[in-house]
Structure formats: structure tokens, C-alpha cells
Amino acid sequence: MADTKPASAGKFDDVHHPAYSMGAAAEILGVTPSFLRGLGEAGLLTPHRSGGGHRRYSRHQLELAGRARELVDEGMTLAAACRVVRAEDQLDMARRRITQLEDAAAEAAAQPSGGDHAEPGVR
């Protein structure tokens, strides 16, 4: 059966696709556009720029911004919140990579090695 999904369907699954305008991102997060600009100035977010120069945010960036907002709401400065969120994001990426490597190692260990088994009838 032929794949009937449009070519753009993969973008909906891509958490790094810059799908949200600044206004939409601010509304989703319940923040002001200036808060999002502040996250960019603090180095937490680097939004994609549209052809017209407008900021576009991905779902991943919205998750980071939402976490930063939580920390700011708890009393952290914006700069401190951005440092914490960056560290948490790096730790999450490292954990995912470790899991990938462990899975690959387990898969490799489960594969029979080429030299261990003789073909039937061969001595």
C-alpha cells in the first residue's frame, strides 16, 4: 500500500520544527513576547527566523521556555533559570544518548559473532 501521508507530515512529529510564531508561543505559554525575547537574550532560545525576520519557535523551545517560566515564577532570576534549564536539557540529552548506546551494545551482544559458529557439516 502506498504511503498517503503528505511530505509535510514529518514536520508535525518533529519537536525541533519551528512551527510557532512569537505571538502563538507567548499565548500557549501564558507569557509576554518580551519574556520570550529575554530568553533569547539570555541565550536559552535561539528562535528560527522566517523569511520576513519573524521569530519562530519549536515545541522543544516551548518546553524549555515553559520550564524557565516555572523557575522564574518560583523566584529565580531569568539568568539563573536559563542556566538551570540549559543544564537540565543537556542532562536529558546525555541520558537519551546513554540509553541509545546501551541499547546498541545490548543488541550487538545478542548477535552471534561471525567466527563462533561453523557451518553445518564443516569441520
Short mmCIF file of all heavy atoms in Angstrom, two decimals, residues 27-99:
data_model
loop_
_atom_site.label_atom_id
_atom_site.label_comp_id
_atom_site.label_asym_id
_atom_site.label_seq_id
_atom_site.Cartn_x
_atom_site.Cartn_y
_atom_site.Cartn_z
N GLU A 27 1.21 33.05 23.71
CA GLU A 27 -0.14 32.69 24.15
C GLU A 27 -0.18 31.29 24.75
O GLU A 27 -0.79 31.07 25.80
CB GLU A 27 -1.11 32.79 22.97
CG GLU A 27 -2.55 32.54 23.37
CD GLU A 27 -3.52 32.73 22.22
OE1 GLU A 27 -3.23 33.52 21.30
OE2 GLU A 27 -4.57 32.07 22.25
N ILE A 28 0.46 30.35 24.10
CA ILE A 28 0.49 28.97 24.59
C ILE A 28 1.09 28.91 25.99
O ILE A 28 0.61 28.21 26.87
CB ILE A 28 1.28 28.06 23.62
CG1 ILE A 28 0.48 27.85 22.33
CG2 ILE A 28 1.63 26.72 24.26
CD1 ILE A 28 1.29 27.23 21.20
N LEU A 29 2.18 29.66 26.20
CA LEU A 29 2.91 29.63 27.47
C LEU A 29 2.32 30.56 28.53
O LEU A 29 2.68 30.46 29.70
CB LEU A 29 4.37 30.00 27.24
CG LEU A 29 5.17 29.04 26.39
CD1 LEU A 29 6.51 29.64 26.02
CD2 LEU A 29 5.35 27.70 27.11
N GLY A 30 1.47 31.48 28.10
CA GLY A 30 0.92 32.45 29.04
C GLY A 30 1.97 33.47 29.47
O GLY A 30 2.00 33.88 30.63
N VAL A 31 2.84 33.84 28.54
CA VAL A 31 3.88 34.83 28.81
C VAL A 31 3.76 35.97 27.79
O VAL A 31 2.98 35.88 26.84
CB VAL A 31 5.30 34.22 28.74
CG1 VAL A 31 5.46 33.11 29.77
CG2 VAL A 31 5.63 33.71 27.34
N THR A 32 4.54 36.98 27.99
CA THR A 32 4.57 38.08 27.03
C THR A 32 5.66 37.83 25.99
O THR A 32 6.62 37.09 26.26
CB THR A 32 4.87 39.42 27.74
OG1 THR A 32 6.18 39.34 28.32
CG2 THR A 32 3.83 39.71 28.83
N PRO A 33 5.53 38.44 24.82
CA PRO A 33 6.61 38.33 23.84
C PRO A 33 7.94 38.83 24.40
O PRO A 33 9.00 38.28 24.06
CB PRO A 33 6.13 39.20 22.68
CG PRO A 33 4.63 39.11 22.77
CD PRO A 33 4.35 39.11 24.25
N SER A 34 7.91 39.81 25.29
CA SER A 34 9.17 40.31 25.85
C SER A 34 9.85 39.24 26.70
O SER A 34 11.09 39.19 26.77
CB SER A 34 8.96 41.60 26.64
OG SER A 34 8.15 41.37 27.77
N PHE A 35 9.07 38.38 27.35
CA PHE A 35 9.67 37.27 28.11
C PHE A 35 10.43 36.35 27.16
O PHE A 35 11.56 35.95 27.44
CB PHE A 35 8.59 36.49 28.87
CG PHE A 35 9.12 35.34 29.68
CD1 PHE A 35 9.69 35.55 30.92
CD2 PHE A 35 9.07 34.04 29.19
CE1 PHE A 35 10.20 34.50 31.67
CE2 PHE A 35 9.56 32.98 29.94
CZ PHE A 35 10.13 33.20 31.19
N LEU A 36 9.82 36.04 26.02
CA LEU A 36 10.49 35.19 25.03
C LEU A 36 11.74 35.87 24.48
O LEU A 36 12.77 35.22 24.30
CB LEU A 36 9.53 34.83 23.90
CG LEU A 36 8.39 33.89 24.27
CD1 LEU A 36 7.41 33.75 23.11
CD2 LEU A 36 8.89 32.55 24.72
N ARG A 37 11.66 37.15 24.22
CA ARG A 37 12.85 37.87 23.76
C ARG A 37 13.95 37.82 24.83
O ARG A 37 15.13 37.66 24.53
CB ARG A 37 12.51 39.33 23.42
CG ARG A 37 11.82 39.47 22.07
CD ARG A 37 11.73 40.93 21.63
NE ARG A 37 10.87 41.72 22.50
CZ ARG A 37 9.55 41.84 22.36
NH1 ARG A 37 8.93 41.19 21.40
NH2 ARG A 37 8.85 42.59 23.19
N GLY A 38 13.54 37.93 26.10
CA GLY A 38 14.51 37.85 27.20
C GLY A 38 15.20 36.50 27.25
O GLY A 38 16.39 36.41 27.55
N LEU A 39 14.46 35.43 26.95
CA LEU A 39 15.07 34.09 26.92
C LEU A 39 16.09 34.00 25.80
O LEU A 39 17.12 33.33 25.94
CB LEU A 39 13.99 33.02 26.76
CG LEU A 39 13.01 32.86 27.92
CD1 LEU A 39 11.96 31.82 27.58
CD2 LEU A 39 13.71 32.54 29.22
N GLY A 40 15.80 34.68 24.70
CA GLY A 40 16.76 34.72 23.60
C GLY A 40 18.00 35.51 23.98
O GLY A 40 19.13 35.09 23.72
N GLU A 41 17.80 36.65 24.64
CA GLU A 41 18.94 37.48 25.06
C GLU A 41 19.79 36.76 26.10
O GLU A 41 21.01 36.94 26.15
CB GLU A 41 18.43 38.81 25.62
CG GLU A 41 17.83 39.71 24.55
CD GLU A 41 17.03 40.87 25.11
OE1 GLU A 41 17.03 41.08 26.34
OE2 GLU A 41 16.37 41.56 24.31
N ALA A 42 19.15 35.93 26.93
CA ALA A 42 19.87 35.16 27.95
C ALA A 42 20.56 33.93 27.36
O ALA A 42 21.29 33.24 28.06
CB ALA A 42 18.92 34.75 29.07
N GLY A 43 20.30 33.65 26.09
CA GLY A 43 20.96 32.54 25.43
C GLY A 43 20.27 31.20 25.58
O GLY A 43 20.82 30.19 25.14
N LEU A 44 19.07 31.16 26.15
CA LEU A 44 18.38 29.88 26.29
C LEU A 44 17.76 29.46 24.97
O LEU A 44 17.83 28.29 24.60
CB LEU A 44 17.29 29.96 27.37
CG LEU A 44 16.49 28.68 27.58
CD1 LEU A 44 17.40 27.54 28.04
CD2 LEU A 44 15.36 28.89 28.57
N LEU A 45 17.15 30.39 24.26
CA LEU A 45 16.48 30.09 23.00
C LEU A 45 17.14 30.86 21.86
O LEU A 45 17.50 32.03 22.03
CB LEU A 45 15.01 30.50 23.05
CG LEU A 45 14.15 29.91 24.16
CD1 LEU A 45 12.73 30.45 24.05
CD2 LEU A 45 14.15 28.40 24.12
N THR A 46 17.25 30.20 20.74
CA THR A 46 17.67 30.87 19.51
C THR A 46 16.59 30.54 18.49
O THR A 46 16.66 29.52 17.80
CB THR A 46 19.04 30.36 19.02
OG1 THR A 46 19.99 30.53 20.08
CG2 THR A 46 19.50 31.13 17.80
N PRO A 47 15.55 31.38 18.42
CA PRO A 47 14.46 31.06 17.50
C PRO A 47 14.89 31.14 16.05
O PRO A 47 15.79 31.90 15.69
CB PRO A 47 13.41 32.12 17.82
CG PRO A 47 14.14 33.24 18.46
CD PRO A 47 15.34 32.62 19.13
N HIS A 48 14.25 30.31 15.25
CA HIS A 48 14.44 30.38 13.81
C HIS A 48 13.84 31.70 13.33
O HIS A 48 12.91 32.20 13.93
CB HIS A 48 13.72 29.18 13.16
CG HIS A 48 13.74 29.19 11.68
ND1 HIS A 48 14.84 28.79 10.96
CD2 HIS A 48 12.80 29.55 10.78
CE1 HIS A 48 14.57 28.90 9.67
NE2 HIS A 48 13.34 29.36 9.54
N ARG A 49 14.35 32.24 12.26
CA ARG A 49 13.79 33.46 11.69
C ARG A 49 13.13 33.12 10.36
O ARG A 49 13.72 32.44 9.51
CB ARG A 49 14.88 34.52 11.46
CG ARG A 49 15.53 35.03 12.72
CD ARG A 49 14.57 35.91 13.50
NE ARG A 49 15.22 36.43 14.69
CZ ARG A 49 14.98 37.62 15.18
NH1 ARG A 49 14.09 38.42 14.62
NH2 ARG A 49 15.58 38.01 16.29
N SER A 50 11.90 33.60 10.19
CA SER A 50 11.20 33.40 8.93
C SER A 50 11.85 34.27 7.86
O SER A 50 12.72 35.10 8.16
CB SER A 50 9.73 33.78 9.09
OG SER A 50 9.61 35.19 9.25
N GLY A 51 11.43 34.12 6.63
CA GLY A 51 11.95 34.94 5.55
C GLY A 51 11.77 36.43 5.82
O GLY A 51 12.58 37.24 5.41
N GLY A 52 10.71 36.77 6.54
CA GLY A 52 10.45 38.16 6.89
C GLY A 52 11.12 38.61 8.17
O GLY A 52 10.90 39.73 8.63
N GLY A 53 11.91 37.73 8.79
CA GLY A 53 12.63 38.07 10.01
C GLY A 53 11.87 37.83 11.30
O GLY A 53 12.33 38.20 12.37
N HIS A 54 10.69 37.20 11.21
CA HIS A 54 9.89 36.94 12.41
C HIS A 54 10.42 35.71 13.14
O HIS A 54 10.83 34.74 12.53
CB HIS A 54 8.42 36.75 12.04
CG HIS A 54 7.82 37.94 11.39
ND1 HIS A 54 7.44 39.06 12.08
CD2 HIS A 54 7.56 38.20 10.08
CE1 HIS A 54 6.96 39.95 11.25
NE2 HIS A 54 7.02 39.46 10.02
N ARG A 55 10.37 35.77 14.46
CA ARG A 55 10.82 34.64 15.28
C ARG A 55 9.83 33.49 15.17
O ARG A 55 8.62 33.70 15.24
CB ARG A 55 10.96 35.07 16.74
CG ARG A 55 12.09 36.02 17.02
CD ARG A 55 11.99 36.51 18.48
NE ARG A 55 13.08 37.38 18.83
CZ ARG A 55 13.08 38.70 18.68
NH1 ARG A 55 12.03 39.31 18.16
NH2 ARG A 55 14.12 39.43 19.04
N ARG A 56 10.38 32.28 15.05
CA ARG A 56 9.56 31.06 15.01
C ARG A 56 10.14 30.08 16.03
O ARG A 56 11.35 29.90 16.10
CB ARG A 56 9.59 30.42 13.62
CG ARG A 56 9.21 31.34 12.47
CD ARG A 56 7.76 31.62 12.38
NE ARG A 56 7.04 30.38 12.13
CZ ARG A 56 5.72 30.32 12.04
NH1 ARG A 56 5.01 31.39 12.18
NH2 ARG A 56 5.13 29.18 11.83
N TYR A 57 9.28 29.46 16.82
CA TYR A 57 9.70 28.59 17.91
C TYR A 57 9.23 27.15 17.67
O TYR A 57 8.16 26.91 17.14
CB TYR A 57 9.13 29.08 19.24
CG TYR A 57 9.64 30.44 19.63
CD1 TYR A 57 8.96 31.59 19.24
CD2 TYR A 57 10.80 30.59 20.37
CE1 TYR A 57 9.44 32.85 19.58
CE2 TYR A 57 11.28 31.83 20.72
CZ TYR A 57 10.60 32.96 20.32
OH TYR A 57 11.07 34.20 20.66
N SER A 58 10.04 26.21 18.12
CA SER A 58 9.69 24.79 18.04
C SER A 58 9.02 24.34 19.34
O SER A 58 9.07 25.05 20.35
CB SER A 58 10.96 23.96 17.80
OG SER A 58 11.79 24.00 18.95
N ARG A 59 8.45 23.15 19.30
CA ARG A 59 7.86 22.59 20.54
C ARG A 59 8.92 22.41 21.60
O ARG A 59 8.67 22.64 22.78
CB ARG A 59 7.17 21.25 20.24
CG ARG A 59 5.84 21.41 19.56
CD ARG A 59 5.01 20.13 19.56
NE ARG A 59 5.80 18.92 19.49
CZ ARG A 59 5.76 18.05 18.50
NH1 ARG A 59 4.99 18.25 17.47
NH2 ARG A 59 6.50 16.98 18.51
N HIS A 60 10.11 21.98 21.21
CA HIS A 60 11.20 21.81 22.17
C HIS A 60 11.52 23.14 22.84
O HIS A 60 11.69 23.22 24.06
CB HIS A 60 12.43 21.22 21.49
CG HIS A 60 13.57 21.01 22.43
ND1 HIS A 60 14.71 21.78 22.39
CD2 HIS A 60 13.76 20.13 23.44
CE1 HIS A 60 15.53 21.39 23.34
NE2 HIS A 60 14.99 20.39 23.99
N GLN A 61 11.61 24.20 22.05
CA GLN A 61 11.88 25.51 22.61
C GLN A 61 10.75 25.97 23.55
O GLN A 61 11.01 26.59 24.57
CB GLN A 61 12.10 26.54 21.50
CG GLN A 61 13.40 26.32 20.76
CD GLN A 61 13.53 27.23 19.57
OE1 GLN A 61 12.58 27.47 18.83
NE2 GLN A 61 14.74 27.74 19.37
N LEU A 62 9.51 25.63 23.20
CA LEU A 62 8.40 25.98 24.08
C LEU A 62 8.50 25.23 25.41
O LEU A 62 8.17 25.78 26.47
CB LEU A 62 7.05 25.68 23.41
CG LEU A 62 6.69 26.51 22.18
CD1 LEU A 62 5.29 26.17 21.71
CD2 LEU A 62 6.82 27.99 22.45
N GLU A 63 8.95 23.99 25.36
CA GLU A 63 9.14 23.23 26.60
C GLU A 63 10.21 23.89 27.48
O GLU A 63 10.03 24.02 28.69
CB GLU A 63 9.55 21.79 26.28
CG GLU A 63 8.43 20.96 25.68
CD GLU A 63 8.91 19.61 25.17
OE1 GLU A 63 10.09 19.24 25.42
OE2 GLU A 63 8.10 18.91 24.53
N LEU A 64 11.31 24.31 26.86
CA LEU A 64 12.37 24.98 27.61
C LEU A 64 11.86 26.30 28.20
O LEU A 64 12.11 26.61 29.37
CB LEU A 64 13.58 25.24 26.72
CG LEU A 64 14.29 24.01 26.14
CD1 LEU A 64 15.42 24.45 25.22
CD2 LEU A 64 14.79 23.09 27.23
N ALA A 65 11.13 27.05 27.39
CA ALA A 65 10.60 28.34 27.85
C ALA A 65 9.60 28.14 28.98
O ALA A 65 9.58 28.91 29.95
CB ALA A 65 9.94 29.08 26.69
N GLY A 66 8.78 27.10 28.87
CA GLY A 66 7.82 26.81 29.94
C GLY A 66 8.51 26.45 31.24
O GLY A 66 8.08 26.89 32.32
N ARG A 67 9.57 25.69 31.15
CA ARG A 67 10.33 25.34 32.36
C ARG A 67 10.99 26.57 32.96
O ARG A 67 10.98 26.76 34.18
CB ARG A 67 11.38 24.27 32.03
CG ARG A 67 12.25 23.88 33.19
CD ARG A 67 11.48 23.16 34.28
NE ARG A 67 12.41 22.77 35.34
CZ ARG A 67 12.20 22.97 36.62
NH1 ARG A 67 11.07 23.51 37.05
NH2 ARG A 67 13.10 22.62 37.51
N ALA A 68 11.53 27.44 32.10
CA ALA A 68 12.14 28.69 32.59
C ALA A 68 11.08 29.54 33.29
O ALA A 68 11.35 30.12 34.35
CB ALA A 68 12.78 29.46 31.44
N ARG A 69 9.90 29.59 32.72
CA ARG A 69 8.83 30.37 33.36
C ARG A 69 8.50 29.82 34.74
O ARG A 69 8.31 30.57 35.70
CB ARG A 69 7.58 30.37 32.49
CG ARG A 69 6.47 31.16 33.15
CD ARG A 69 5.20 31.16 32.40
NE ARG A 69 4.25 31.96 33.18
CZ ARG A 69 2.98 31.70 33.24
NH1 ARG A 69 2.46 30.71 32.56
NH2 ARG A 69 2.18 32.46 33.96
N GLU A 70 8.43 28.49 34.87
CA GLU A 70 8.17 27.88 36.18
C GLU A 70 9.21 28.34 37.20
O GLU A 70 8.87 28.69 38.33
CB GLU A 70 8.22 26.35 36.09
CG GLU A 70 7.08 25.71 35.36
CD GLU A 70 7.29 24.21 35.16
OE1 GLU A 70 8.29 23.65 35.69
OE2 GLU A 70 6.47 23.59 34.47
N LEU A 71 10.47 28.30 36.80
CA LEU A 71 11.54 28.68 37.73
C LEU A 71 11.50 30.16 38.08
O LEU A 71 11.72 30.53 39.24
CB LEU A 71 12.90 28.30 37.13
CG LEU A 71 13.13 26.79 36.96
CD1 LEU A 71 14.41 26.53 36.20
CD2 LEU A 71 13.12 26.08 38.29
N VAL A 72 11.19 31.00 37.10
CA VAL A 72 11.06 32.44 37.37
C VAL A 72 9.88 32.68 38.32
O VAL A 72 9.97 33.47 39.26
CB VAL A 72 10.91 33.23 36.05
CG1 VAL A 72 10.47 34.67 36.32
CG2 VAL A 72 12.22 33.21 35.28
N ASP A 73 8.78 31.96 38.09
CA ASP A 73 7.61 32.09 38.96
C ASP A 73 7.92 31.65 40.39
O ASP A 73 7.29 32.12 41.34
CB ASP A 73 6.43 31.27 38.43
CG ASP A 73 5.80 31.88 37.19
OD1 ASP A 73 6.11 33.06 36.86
OD2 ASP A 73 4.99 31.18 36.53
N GLU A 74 8.91 30.75 40.55
CA GLU A 74 9.32 30.29 41.88
C GLU A 74 10.32 31.24 42.53
O GLU A 74 10.76 31.00 43.65
CB GLU A 74 9.92 28.88 41.78
CG GLU A 74 8.90 27.82 41.44
CD GLU A 74 9.53 26.46 41.20
OE1 GLU A 74 10.76 26.30 41.42
OE2 GLU A 74 8.80 25.55 40.78
N GLY A 75 10.71 32.30 41.82
CA GLY A 75 11.57 33.31 42.41
C GLY A 75 12.99 33.41 41.87
O GLY A 75 13.76 34.23 42.33
N MET A 76 13.34 32.56 40.92
CA MET A 76 14.68 32.64 40.33
C MET A 76 14.77 33.83 39.39
O MET A 76 13.77 34.23 38.78
CB MET A 76 15.01 31.38 39.52
CG MET A 76 15.47 30.23 40.32
SD MET A 76 16.11 28.98 39.17
CE MET A 76 16.63 27.78 40.36
N THR A 77 15.97 34.35 39.24
CA THR A 77 16.18 35.36 38.21
C THR A 77 16.11 34.68 36.85
O THR A 77 16.30 33.46 36.74
CB THR A 77 17.55 36.05 38.36
OG1 THR A 77 18.57 35.08 38.12
CG2 THR A 77 17.72 36.68 39.74
N LEU A 78 15.87 35.48 35.82
CA LEU A 78 15.80 34.92 34.48
C LEU A 78 17.12 34.25 34.09
O LEU A 78 17.13 33.15 33.54
CB LEU A 78 15.43 36.01 33.47
CG LEU A 78 15.20 35.55 32.05
CD1 LEU A 78 14.01 34.60 31.98
CD2 LEU A 78 14.99 36.73 31.13
N ALA A 79 18.23 34.90 34.42
CA ALA A 79 19.54 34.34 34.08
C ALA A 79 19.77 33.00 34.77
O ALA A 79 20.25 32.04 34.15
CB ALA A 79 20.65 35.33 34.44
N ALA A 80 19.43 32.93 36.05
CA ALA A 80 19.60 31.67 36.79
C ALA A 80 18.68 30.59 36.24
O ALA A 80 19.10 29.43 36.08
CB ALA A 80 19.35 31.90 38.27
N ALA A 81 17.45 30.94 35.94
CA ALA A 81 16.50 29.97 35.39
C ALA A 81 17.02 29.42 34.07
O ALA A 81 16.94 28.22 33.82
CB ALA A 81 15.13 30.63 35.21
N CYS A 82 17.58 30.30 33.24
CA CYS A 82 18.11 29.85 31.95
C CYS A 82 19.28 28.90 32.13
O CYS A 82 19.38 27.89 31.42
CB CYS A 82 18.51 31.05 31.10
SG CYS A 82 17.08 31.99 30.49
N ARG A 83 20.15 29.16 33.10
CA ARG A 83 21.27 28.25 33.36
C ARG A 83 20.75 26.89 33.81
O ARG A 83 21.26 25.85 33.38
CB ARG A 83 22.21 28.84 34.41
CG ARG A 83 23.11 29.95 33.87
CD ARG A 83 24.23 30.32 34.81
NE ARG A 83 23.77 30.76 36.13
CZ ARG A 83 23.46 32.02 36.44
NH1 ARG A 83 23.54 32.97 35.54
NH2 ARG A 83 23.07 32.32 37.67
N VAL A 84 19.77 26.87 34.69
CA VAL A 84 19.21 25.61 35.18
C VAL A 84 18.56 24.83 34.04
O VAL A 84 18.79 23.62 33.88
CB VAL A 84 18.19 25.86 36.32
CG1 VAL A 84 17.40 24.60 36.64
CG2 VAL A 84 18.91 26.38 37.56
N VAL A 85 17.78 25.52 33.23
CA VAL A 85 17.08 24.85 32.13
C VAL A 85 18.08 24.30 31.11
O VAL A 85 17.91 23.18 30.62
CB VAL A 85 16.05 25.80 31.46
CG1 VAL A 85 15.46 25.18 30.21
CG2 VAL A 85 14.95 26.15 32.45
N ARG A 86 19.12 25.05 30.79
CA ARG A 86 20.15 24.54 29.88
C ARG A 86 20.80 23.29 30.45
O ARG A 86 21.02 22.31 29.74
CB ARG A 86 21.22 25.61 29.62
CG ARG A 86 20.99 26.43 28.39
CD ARG A 86 22.21 27.24 27.98
NE ARG A 86 22.73 28.10 29.02
CZ ARG A 86 22.27 29.32 29.31
NH1 ARG A 86 21.27 29.82 28.64
NH2 ARG A 86 22.81 30.03 30.28
N ALA A 87 21.12 23.30 31.74
CA ALA A 87 21.75 22.14 32.37
C ALA A 87 20.80 20.94 32.36
O ALA A 87 21.22 19.81 32.07
CB ALA A 87 22.17 22.47 33.80
N GLU A 88 19.53 21.17 32.66
CA GLU A 88 18.55 20.08 32.63
C GLU A 88 18.42 19.51 31.23
O GLU A 88 18.33 18.29 31.05
CB GLU A 88 17.18 20.58 33.12
CG GLU A 88 17.10 20.87 34.58
CD GLU A 88 15.78 21.49 35.01
OE1 GLU A 88 15.01 22.00 34.16
OE2 GLU A 88 15.53 21.49 36.23
N ASP A 89 18.41 20.38 30.21
CA ASP A 89 18.28 19.93 28.83
C ASP A 89 19.50 19.12 28.41
O ASP A 89 19.37 18.08 27.76
CB ASP A 89 18.08 21.14 27.91
CG ASP A 89 17.68 20.74 26.50
OD1 ASP A 89 16.80 19.87 26.35
OD2 ASP A 89 18.25 21.31 25.55
N GLN A 90 20.69 19.56 28.79
CA GLN A 90 21.91 18.83 28.47
C GLN A 90 21.92 17.46 29.15
O GLN A 90 22.32 16.46 28.56
CB GLN A 90 23.14 19.63 28.87
CG GLN A 90 23.38 20.84 28.00
CD GLN A 90 24.49 21.74 28.54
OE1 GLN A 90 24.90 21.62 29.69
NE2 GLN A 90 24.96 22.65 27.70
N LEU A 91 21.47 17.42 30.39
CA LEU A 91 21.40 16.15 31.11
C LEU A 91 20.41 15.20 30.44
O LEU A 91 20.70 14.01 30.28
CB LEU A 91 21.02 16.39 32.58
CG LEU A 91 20.89 15.16 33.47
CD1 LEU A 91 22.21 14.40 33.52
CD2 LEU A 91 20.45 15.57 34.86
N ASP A 92 19.28 15.73 30.02
CA ASP A 92 18.28 14.91 29.34
C ASP A 92 18.84 14.35 28.04
O ASP A 92 18.66 13.16 27.74
CB ASP A 92 17.02 15.74 29.07
CG ASP A 92 15.89 14.92 28.49
OD1 ASP A 92 15.60 13.83 29.02
OD2 ASP A 92 15.28 15.38 27.49
N MET A 93 19.55 15.18 27.27
CA MET A 93 20.16 14.70 26.03
C MET A 93 21.21 13.63 26.31
O MET A 93 21.28 12.63 25.60
CB MET A 93 20.79 15.86 25.25
CG MET A 93 19.78 16.76 24.58
SD MET A 93 20.49 17.99 23.45
CE MET A 93 21.56 18.91 24.54
N ALA A 94 22.01 13.81 27.35
CA ALA A 94 23.03 12.83 27.70
C ALA A 94 22.38 11.51 28.12
O ALA A 94 22.87 10.44 27.73
CB ALA A 94 23.91 13.36 28.84
N ARG A 95 21.32 11.58 28.88
CA ARG A 95 20.62 10.35 29.29
C ARG A 95 20.06 9.61 28.09
O ARG A 95 20.14 8.37 28.03
CB ARG A 95 19.51 10.68 30.28
CG ARG A 95 20.01 11.02 31.65
CD ARG A 95 18.88 11.35 32.59
NE ARG A 95 19.37 11.54 33.93
CZ ARG A 95 18.76 12.27 34.85
NH1 ARG A 95 17.63 12.89 34.57
NH2 ARG A 95 19.28 12.39 36.05
N ARG A 96 19.47 10.36 27.14
CA ARG A 96 18.93 9.71 25.93
C ARG A 96 20.05 9.04 25.14
O ARG A 96 19.90 7.94 24.63
CB ARG A 96 18.19 10.73 25.06
CG ARG A 96 16.80 11.05 25.53
CD ARG A 96 15.95 11.75 24.48
NE ARG A 96 16.58 12.90 23.88
CZ ARG A 96 16.48 14.14 24.32
NH1 ARG A 96 15.78 14.40 25.40
NH2 ARG A 96 17.09 15.13 23.70
N ARG A 97 21.20 9.70 25.05
CA ARG A 97 22.33 9.14 24.31
C ARG A 97 22.86 7.89 25.00
O ARG A 97 23.19 6.90 24.34
CB ARG A 97 23.45 10.19 24.18
CG ARG A 97 24.61 9.72 23.38
CD ARG A 97 24.25 9.46 21.93
NE ARG A 97 25.42 9.01 21.20
CZ ARG A 97 25.40 8.07 20.27
NH1 ARG A 97 24.27 7.51 19.91
NH2 ARG A 97 26.51 7.71 19.68
N ILE A 98 22.95 7.91 26.31
CA ILE A 98 23.40 6.73 27.07
C ILE A 98 22.46 5.57 26.81
O ILE A 98 22.90 4.43 26.58
CB ILE A 98 23.50 7.05 28.57
CG1 ILE A 98 24.71 7.96 28.82
CG2 ILE A 98 23.59 5.77 29.40
CD1 ILE A 98 24.73 8.56 30.22
N THR A 99 21.16 5.83 26.82
CA THR A 99 20.17 4.77 26.56
C THR A 99 20.36 4.21 25.15
O THR A 99 20.33 2.99 24.96
CB THR A 99 18.74 5.31 26.74
OG1 THR A 99 18.58 5.74 28.10
CG2 THR A 99 17.70 4.26 26.42
#
